[in-house]
């Protein structure tokens, strides 16, 4: 099964993760390290109780079929699932990972560039029809002004979904339409989530204007940092001390943008050097932090780009480093950190968890908020007897 699926779906840059150290051994004598298959088959590997799995759902910019915009999913052995950023393409990647839809209910957004939030509304949509019978929780920082924070962003998203909501509310369970924004001050490091032993801490990072943050997730002695988009910062170094996996952006060299995309040299340098982190600068962050595994993301992974980026990091950092491409999987346990690529069905059904649905009393329809068509438009519908009869039944129940 493993080889059959992975042969069907070759990854753009091979079935191996972009790293020279796919296995990093941690100092934990006494226990035998878990053995993993060469390829992670989506949905086929239950997590151990002391295990964290990080999935790169999107690693670049702009989104193409082979690489989406920014977003990582973290699954914990306690059954919790966290999403860090949800750029365009990340939802599509999530749909291949065989994770029940109601698990996509905690989103931690680092900043509100569109390449980090584009799929938030897509999760909102599919969660409603695929069994999320609870609110979506969206965590994010304040901005310089109220309209630049997560409260305003969610409010505005729900304005955009007005037609969608009006047409679907009632047919789908109303619980799926709830979104709860959790806004916190961007300026200071603080715990923004603390449940079932999992703690998420935010910290500010410099990224163009005030209001961008990174997150650190600690659980069961395992940890990861997702620094979001940022210039290299002592704050990231400070908050990443002792971390297992540090996911930090690494931009391509300005020359890539000049040569491949026709940018002026000045524009390329402004973006790559004064908003983001060059490979050489990432090396400084990694060298000061010494994470067990340094992970780069936000690079354009395209023909010829990975090696120069890794070479740039090597100028100042000699520890384990991985350049994330979409569907890179990192398993973290007390014994080791293992990086692989995922294999998956190219067009799977989405996953709803029947036991979860039952525990929520099943999905409810609410006739009181169902909305119909104007009679003249209804009259244009070409009738099929079986469907006409069903519509009549609905009308008799007051549902049409
Ligand atoms: Zn970005
Ligand atoms: Zn950004």
């Amino acid at each position: 099964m493993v080889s059959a699926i992975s042969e069907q779906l070759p990854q753009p840059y091979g079935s191996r993760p972009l790293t020279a150290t796919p296995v990093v051994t941690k100092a934990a004598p006494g226990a035998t390290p878990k053995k993993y298959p060469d390829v992670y088959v989506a949905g086929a590997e239950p997590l151990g109780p002391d295990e964290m799995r990080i999935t790169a759902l999107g690693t670049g910019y702009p989104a193409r079929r082979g690489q989406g915009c920014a977003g990582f999913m973290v699954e914990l052995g306690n059954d919790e699932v966290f999403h860090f950023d949800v750029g365009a393409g990340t939802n599509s990647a999530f749909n291949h990972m065989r994770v029940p839809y109601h698990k996509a209910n905690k989103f931690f957004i680092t900043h509100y560039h569109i390449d980090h939030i584009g799929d938030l509304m897509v999760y909102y949509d599919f969660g409603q029809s695929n069994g999320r019978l609870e609110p979506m929780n969206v965590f994010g920082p304040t901005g310089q002004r109220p309209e630049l924070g997560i409260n305003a962003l969610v409010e505005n998203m729900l304005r955009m979904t007005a037609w969608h909501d009006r047409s679907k509310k009632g047919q789908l369970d109303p619980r799926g339409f709830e979104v709860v924004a959790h806004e916190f001050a961007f300026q200071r490091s603080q715990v923004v989530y603390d449940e079932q032993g999992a703690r998420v801490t935010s910290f500010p990072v410099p990224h163009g204007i005030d209001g961008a943050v990174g997150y650190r997730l600690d659980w069961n002695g395992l940890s990861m940092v997702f620094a979001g988009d940022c210039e290299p910062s002592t704050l990231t170094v400070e908050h990443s001390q002792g971390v297992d996996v540090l996911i930090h952006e690494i931009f391509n060299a300005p020359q890539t943008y000049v040569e491949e995309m026709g940018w002026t040299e000045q524009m390329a340098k402004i973006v790559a050097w004064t908003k983001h982190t060059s490979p050489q600068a990432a090396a400084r962050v990694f060298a000061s932090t010494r994470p067990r595994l340094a992970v780069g993301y936000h690079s354009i992974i395209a023909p010829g780009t990975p090696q120069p980026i890794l070479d740039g990091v090597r100028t100042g950092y000699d520890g384990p480093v991985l350049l994330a491409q979409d569907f890179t999987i990192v398993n973290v346990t007390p014994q080791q950190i293992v990086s692989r690529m995922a294999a998956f069905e190219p067009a799977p059904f989405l996953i709803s968890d029947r036991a979860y649905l039952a525990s929520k009393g099943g999905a409810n329809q609410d006739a009181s908020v169902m909305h119909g068509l104007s009679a003249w438009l209804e009259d244009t519908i070409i009738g099929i007897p079986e469907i006409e009869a069903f519509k009549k039944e609905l009308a008799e129940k007051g549902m049409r």
Side-chain angles (χ1 to χ4, degrees):
M1 182 183 169
V2 172
S3 61
I5 293 180
S6 57
E7 277 161 22
Q8 272 175 35
L9 247 213
Q11 300 298 334
Y13 294 91
S15 56
R16 299 280 156 204
L18 297 170
T19 180
T21 50
V23 178
V24 175
T25 303
K26 293 163 67 175
T32 314
K34 184 170 172 176
K35 282 258 180 270
Y36 295 95
D38 283 352
V39 171
Y40 170 73
V41 176
E45 271 182 37
L47 272 185
D50 60 350
E51 193 169 12
M52 171 191 283
R53 179 165 56 219
I54 303 170
T55 301
L57 297 178
T59 56
Y61 175 78
R64 297 95 73 216
R65 277 294 170 103
Q67 191 187 29
C69 290
F72 285 80
M73 172 170 68
V74 180
E75 298 164 88
L76 302 181
N78 70 0
D79 229 20
E80 280 200 276
V81 176
F82 299 77
H83 281 79
F84 294 94
D85 286 348
V86 284
T90 55
N91 177 272
S92 170
F94 171 80
N95 291 342
H96 290 281
M97 291 295 102
R98 314 295 290 165
V99 175
Y101 237 87
H102 72 274
K103 296 279 186 189
N105 66 356
K106 287 188 285 295
F107 299 86
F108 295 82
I109 310 296
T110 61
H111 68 296
Y112 312 129
H113 274 149
I114 291 165
D115 62 311
H116 294 250
I117 59 169
D119 272 0
L120 195 59
M121 201 155 62
V122 187
Y123 276 102
Y124 173 76
D125 178 12
F126 293 167
Q128 291 159 4
S129 48
N130 290 282
R132 177 175 48 72
L133 300 179
E134 59 190 285
M136 259 174 78
N137 290 286
V138 187
F139 297 78
T142 52
Q144 290 163 324
R145 296 192 299 274
E147 65 266 33
L148 300 178
I150 198 72
N151 286 342
L153 188 144
V154 166
E155 215 178 288
N156 287 320
M157 181 184 89
L158 293 175
R159 284 202 183 96
M160 265 178 96
T161 63
W163 196 94
H164 168 97
D165 291 354
R166 188 172 162 83
S167 78
K168 292 202 175 190
K169 261 187 186 166
Q171 298 168 32
L172 297 172
D173 191 298
R175 289 170 286 185
F177 293 80
E178 289 171 29
V179 185
V180 181
H182 303 266
E183 186 168 285
F184 56 85
F186 77 88
Q187 299 92 332
R188 59 187 179 84
S189 169
Q190 62 199 291
V191 174
V192 296
Y193 180 89
D194 192 356
E195 281 181 42
Q196 299 188 62
R199 196 171 67 241
V200 179
T201 310
S202 73
F203 56 91
V205 294
H207 181 47
I209 60 171
D210 284 3
V213 301
Y215 293 105
R216 176 179 178 130
L217 169 60
D218 285 280
W219 170 74
N220 201 26
L222 309 175
S223 54
M224 61 81 72
V225 165
F226 178 58
D229 283 7
C230 54
E231 289 186 69
S233 167
T234 55
L235 287 166
T236 305
V237 173
E238 183 188 317
H239 290 282
S240 304
Q241 290 302 308
V243 80
D244 285 317
V245 179
L246 168 55
I247 303 170
H248 195 287
E249 67 146 270
I250 308 180
F251 239 60
N252 305 68
Q255 213 49 34
T256 304
Y257 296 87
V258 174
E259 285 168 11
E260 301 294 340
M261 294 158 75
W263 292 14
T264 65
E265 191 174 326
Q266 177 170 294
M267 180 176 158
K269 284 183 176 169
I270 287 173
V271 174
W273 287 358
T274 78
K275 313 288 178 198
H276 292 283
T277 297
S278 71
Q280 289 74 12
R284 296 281 297 276
V285 175
F286 295 153
S288 305
T289 310
R290 308 297 306 181
R292 292 191 177 85
L293 176 66
V295 176
Y297 90 103
H298 219 307
S299 328
I300 298 180
I301 304 282
T305 68
Q307 199 57 50
I309 293 169
L310 288 165
D311 291 346
V313 174
R314 277 289 171 246
T315 60
Y317 178 61
D318 60 4
V321 63
L322 160 77
L323 188 59
Q325 55 180 332
D326 291 16
F327 302 110
T328 300
I329 307 287
V330 179
N331 285 73
V332 187
T333 62
Q335 290 82 36
Q336 58 185 356
I337 300 172
V338 177
S339 305
R340 294 172 293 163
M341 294 301 294
F344 47 83
E345 290 291 337
F349 287 106
L350 303 186
I351 304 283
S352 299
D353 180 334
R354 311 280 162 112
Y356 165 82
L357 294 177
S359 77
K360 293 282 180 184
N364 300 315
Q365 292 177 317
D366 181 359
S368 69
V369 290
M370 286 191 178
H371 300 281
L373 293 165
S374 290
W376 64 268
L377 200 48
E378 184 85 48
D379 287 346
T380 68
I381 295 171
I382 298 165
I384 305 293
E386 189 182 9
I387 296 173
E388 290 298 300
F390 178 63
K391 284 181 175 175
K392 206 166 154 241
E393 263 175 52
L394 286 179
E396 278 159 12
K397 291 183 196 159
M399 297 176 78
R400 231 184 124 70

